[in-house]
């Protein structure tokens, strides 16, 4: 102004001052009303700051209950937009024009003020922040509906899995009880076999329950994650500040991949029913049981080959660690002891004295592979840090605490670990600490099972005797269930 204007009374400010005077002599608020380090403080408290109960998007200030009253009583202030207390009010102000950002640029996906829309964002697809909020709110509701549906689906799947656990346990208990009753009648001749059947049923029961529990745990974790995500979306959906909503919306983490129901199979209720029938047959033909029928009982309680094929993995052999007397062929899947040194380059990982070779692939989780062999071989798993030099126990499969091996020769099997042998197809569940050896022909027979704790990833290994050979089967060869060669042996 070139000259001092005539000043007039501001009616709005006068009313505000009068209201403040009326409330100025009230009793001091309780301690819980004072603002703490994490609270939004009232911008109008002059002494000790009180907690803000609302923030105004027009005033860009926060108010306690006392200082908020004019917004309910003064006509111009009643039109202001009040939201929950926020420390981010200044983020609503355009740093370039110092104006409240009431627009949204869809082209650049950012909040802007009106001046931005006619300057640097001119020609862009711009709408009001309220309009963009409405659009995003619809998307949010669709996302919530999808999440809630997935929660319902997963909860239903969990109930199905829980029912399967109960069926497994019930069937196993029934099988054990029936077996116990039958074996009691021939206790003097079949005491050992009774214990074996019980052990196999319980072992399979544990395996089945572990499988279902693992799926159930994954689904429950997914439900928890979905509920957490739904809570985030619900919280965001109630955000009254459009700009804050638009600022936080893109930062939401994407949903994890769903564990669909098709990723597991609910098996029919026939887990252990055949066990009792098989034991009844044993009771009637005791002599046959002692010579022939025991294998039949064992097969009915243990897993079928089809159960393991879902965990099959392609394994090769590493030419960098193969003993120089071993020849690798067929894509490094077959190994033969040639009886003379082969043309290998020098490598620090090579076994110098033992006729051994390891796979380059590390094995974790559940893994299944099959091996065809001639003469004499040892099927093994070992830690990568097993010794490679010298002829001592520290580098031989089964003679140390870094490897487990099954010695196969003339249809007899001996299991070795840490230089201790146990007279007795490979299945490995690394997490559960289960290592199983099976013989495969027209049927699948468990040779030996180890329950331990694996502290490192494992590698498949083979020891090859003089004049012997072994070949790892590919996944394509695992599909048909047939006897491959009468002159060969096959194990998994």
């Amino acid at each position: 102004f070139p000259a001092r204007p005539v000043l007039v009374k501001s009616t709005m400010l006068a009313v505000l001052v009068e209201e403040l005077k009326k409330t100025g002599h009230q009793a001091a608020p309780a301690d819980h009303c004072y603002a703490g380090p994490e609270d939004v403080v009232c911008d109008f408290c002059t002494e000790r700051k009180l907690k803000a109960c609302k923030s105004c998007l027009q005033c860009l200030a926060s108010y306690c209950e006392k200082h908020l009253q004019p917004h309910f009583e003064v006509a111009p202030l009643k039109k202001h937009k009040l939201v929950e207390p926020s420390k981010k009010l200044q983020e609503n102000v355009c740093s370039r024009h110092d104006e409240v950002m009431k627009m949204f640029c869809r082209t650049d996906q950012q909040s802007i003020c009106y001046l931005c829309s006619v300057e640097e964002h001119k020609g862009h697809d711009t709408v009001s922040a309220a309009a963009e909020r409405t659009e995003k709110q619809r998307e949010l509701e669709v996302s919530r509906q999808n999440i809630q549906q997935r929660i319902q689906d997963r909860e239903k799947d969990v109930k199905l899995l829980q029912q399967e656990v109960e069926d497994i346990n019930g069937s196993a208990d029934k099988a054990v009880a029936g077996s116990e009753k039958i074996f009691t009648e021939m206790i003097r001749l079949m005491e050992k076999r009774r214990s074996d059947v019980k052990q196999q049923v319980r072992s399979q029961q544990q395996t089945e329950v572990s499988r279902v529990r693992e799926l159930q745990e994954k689904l429950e974790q997914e439900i928890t994650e979905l509920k957490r995500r739904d809570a985030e979306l619900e919280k965001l959906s109630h955000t009254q500040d459009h700009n804050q909503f638009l600022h936080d919306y893109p930062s939401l983490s994407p949903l994890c991949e769903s564990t669909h129901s098709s990723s597991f199979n609910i098996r029919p209720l026939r887990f252990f029913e055949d066990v009792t029938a098989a034991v009844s047959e044993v009771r009637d033909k005791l002599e046959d049981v002692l010579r022939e029928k025991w294998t039949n009982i064992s097969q009915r309680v243990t897993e079928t080959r089809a159960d393991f094929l879902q965990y099959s993995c392609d394994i090769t052999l590493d030419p960098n660690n193969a003993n120089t007397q071993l020849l690798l062929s067929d894509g490094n899947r077959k190994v033969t002891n040639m009886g003379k040194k082969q043309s290998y380059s020098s490598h620090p990982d090579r076994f110098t004295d033992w006729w051994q070779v390891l796979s380059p692939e590390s094995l974790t989780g559940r893994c299944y592979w099959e091996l065809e062999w001639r003469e004499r071989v040892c099927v093994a798993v070992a830690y990568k840090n097993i010794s490679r030099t010298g002829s001592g126990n520290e580098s031989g499969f089964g003679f140390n605490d870094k490897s487990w091996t099954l010695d196969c020769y003339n249809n007899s099997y001996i299991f070795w670990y840490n230089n201790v042998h146990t007279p007795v197809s490979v299945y490995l569940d690394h997490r559960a600490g289960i290592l199983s050896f099976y013989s495969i022909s027209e049927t699948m027979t468990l040779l030996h099972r180890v329950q331990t704790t694996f502290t490192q990833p494992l590698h498949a290994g083979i020891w090859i005797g003089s004049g012997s050979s072994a070949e790892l089967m590919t996944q394509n060869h695992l599909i048909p269930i047939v006897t491959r060669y009468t002159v060969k042996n096959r194990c998994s």
Side-chain angles (χ1 to χ4, degrees):
F1 297 94
R4 184 178 184 276
V6 178
L7 301 180
V8 296
K9 181 178 180 179
S10 172
T11 305
M12 183 179 72
L13 290 178
V15 172
L16 176 61
V17 170
E18 289 301 321
E19 293 297 330
L20 293 178
K21 287 181 179 179
K22 293 178 182 179
T23 60
H25 300 287
Q26 295 177 356
D31 287 342
H32 64 80
C33 293
Y34 290 114
E38 302 299 324
D39 297 321
V40 178
V41 301
C42 175
D43 294 319
F44 283 81
C45 289
T46 56
E47 297 181 356
R48 185 175 178 182
K49 295 287 187 178
L50 298 180
K51 293 180 183 178
C53 62
K54 291 290 182 180
S55 295
C56 178
L57 296 182
Q58 275 71 25
C59 301
L60 296 180
S62 299
Y63 300 90
C64 64
E65 289 187 5
K66 179 177 68 174
H67 293 130
L68 184 64
Q69 289 304 313
H71 276 76
F72 300 126
E73 300 171 356
V74 179
L77 298 180
K78 289 181 180 180
K79 300 178 181 180
H80 288 190
K81 177 70 173 178
L82 298 177
V83 297
E84 294 303 311
S86 173
K87 294 183 178 181
K88 301 179 180 180
L89 291 176
Q90 290 304 315
E91 295 182 7
N92 292 335
V93 179
C94 176
S95 60
R96 182 180 179 86
H97 301 105
D98 201 27
E99 293 283 343
V100 177
M101 295 185 292
K102 298 182 179 180
M103 308 286 291
F104 187 80
C105 177
R106 289 177 172 173
T107 304
D108 296 329
Q109 289 294 301
Q110 67 181 72
S111 298
I112 59 176
C113 69
Y114 176 76
L115 294 177
C116 289
S117 68
V118 298
E119 293 181 3
E120 59 263 32
H121 293 270
K122 184 177 181 180
H124 291 187
D125 181 10
T126 58
V127 295
S128 68
E132 183 67 12
R133 163 64 185 271
T134 301
E135 180 66 25
K136 289 294 192 294
Q137 185 78 27
R138 282 196 293 265
E139 296 178 6
L140 183 146
E141 292 302 325
V142 172
S143 296
R144 286 199 63 198
Q145 291 174 7
N146 292 336
I147 288 176
Q148 290 168 0
Q149 183 60 48
R150 285 175 59 180
I151 290 174
Q152 293 176 6
D153 294 341
R154 297 292 78 82
E155 287 177 341
K156 183 184 296 184
D157 293 338
V158 168
K159 290 180 180 179
L160 291 175
L161 291 173
Q162 180 62 37
Q163 183 61 48
E164 185 177 6
V165 170
E166 294 174 1
D167 294 337
I168 292 171
N169 291 335
S171 180
D173 291 342
K174 184 178 180 180
V176 170
S179 299
E180 286 287 303
K181 181 179 179 180
I182 296 171
F183 274 119
T184 300
E185 299 173 4
M186 51 181 188
I187 189 66
R188 290 177 293 179
L189 298 176
M190 296 298 297
E191 184 64 38
K192 183 178 184 302
R193 298 304 186 190
R194 179 183 66 176
S195 176
D196 291 344
V197 166
K198 183 176 180 179
Q199 179 183 0
Q200 290 184 8
V201 171
R202 290 306 187 189
S203 177
Q204 181 63 14
Q205 175 189 2
Q206 181 181 3
T207 300
E208 289 293 324
V209 171
S210 298
R211 174 183 65 83
V212 178
R213 289 295 189 192
E214 182 179 357
L215 286 172
Q216 185 178 5
E217 181 181 357
K218 289 181 179 179
L219 291 173
E220 289 175 344
Q221 290 174 352
E222 183 177 344
I223 289 172
T224 300
E225 175 62 20
L226 289 172
K227 289 182 178 178
R228 183 194 66 77
R229 177 62 182 273
D230 183 50
E232 290 181 355
L233 295 180
E234 181 182 14
K235 180 179 178 181
L236 182 60
S237 70
H238 293 303
T239 301
Q240 295 174 320
D241 185 344
H242 299 327
N243 294 320
Q244 186 61 43
F245 176 92
L246 297 174
H247 178 269
D248 293 342
Y249 184 83
S251 65
L252 292 175
S253 58
L255 284 175
C256 60
E257 185 177 354
S258 173
T259 304
H260 296 290
S261 301
S262 59
S263 63
F264 59 89
N265 295 320
I266 302 299
R267 299 186 178 183
L269 304 181
R270 55 172 182 80
F271 294 106
F272 302 101
E273 289 84 347
D274 290 343
V275 179
T276 304
V279 175
S280 297
E281 184 180 358
V282 171
R283 178 190 57 194
D284 298 332
K285 298 181 179 181
L286 180 59
E287 291 299 326
D288 291 338
V289 170
L290 298 177
R291 293 192 303 267
E292 302 173 359
K293 297 299 182 179
W294 173 245
T295 301
N296 185 36
I297 298 175
S298 177
Q299 290 168 354
R300 296 197 182 202
V301 73
T302 55
E303 305 88 344
T304 65
R305 183 170 180 266
D307 293 329
F308 289 106
L309 289 180
Q310 60 182 315
Y311 306 116
S312 63
C313 52
D314 284 333
I315 296 178
T316 59
L317 301 172
D318 192 350
N320 289 329
N321 64 55
N323 181 274
T324 56
Q325 193 163 303
L326 305 181
L327 174 65
L328 302 186
S329 58
D330 293 348
N332 292 334
R333 296 181 184 279
K334 184 176 181 179
V335 55
T336 305
N337 191 330
M338 303 300 291
K340 59 181 179 180
K341 187 174 181 180
Q342 305 298 302
S343 57
Y344 288 111
S345 59
S346 177
H347 199 282
D349 290 342
R350 194 171 307 287
F351 288 101
T352 60
D353 292 83
W354 289 88
W355 298 333
Q356 299 175 165
V357 60
L358 282 174
S359 68
E361 301 90 357
S362 61
L363 310 175
T364 56
R366 296 184 179 185
C367 305
Y368 176 81
W369 67 98
E370 295 183 357
L371 182 79
E372 284 188 348
W373 52 276
R374 294 187 183 206
E375 300 299 332
R376 183 176 186 178
V377 303
C378 290
V379 186
V381 293
Y383 294 146
K384 186 176 182 179
N385 62 354
I386 187 173
S387 176
R388 309 301 175 94
T389 60
S391 58
N393 291 347
E394 65 276 4
S395 55
F397 291 158
F399 296 106
N400 48 68
D401 61 359
K402 298 181 183 296
S403 58
W404 296 255
T405 188
L406 187 72
D407 187 351
C408 311
Y409 182 61
N410 283 344
N411 292 322
S412 64
Y413 306 92
I414 299 177
F415 176 75
W416 290 85
Y417 171 70
N418 209 12
N419 204 23
V420 176
H421 69 277
T422 304
V424 271
S425 202
V426 181
Y427 170 70
L428 167 68
D429 189 338
H430 190 280
R431 176 185 295 181
I434 296 174
L435 175 64
S436 303
F437 298 89
Y438 295 85
S439 174
I440 299 175
S441 57
E442 295 179 356
T443 58
M444 187 170 183
T445 304
L446 177 66
L447 300 176
H448 192 69
R449 173 172 290 171
V450 181
Q451 179 74 57
T452 184
T453 300
F454 299 116
T455 59
Q456 305 175 37
L458 292 165
H459 293 256
I462 305 175
W463 175 90
I464 302 295
S466 179
S468 303
S469 65
E471 181 179 2
L472 291 163
M473 298 293 98
T474 65
Q475 289 186 356
N476 291 335
H477 288 129
L478 293 180
I479 297 174
I481 305 179
V482 298
T483 304
R484 295 181 59 82
Y485 302 104
T486 57
V487 297
K488 292 186 179 181
N489 298 288
R490 192 170 188 182
C491 62
S492 69

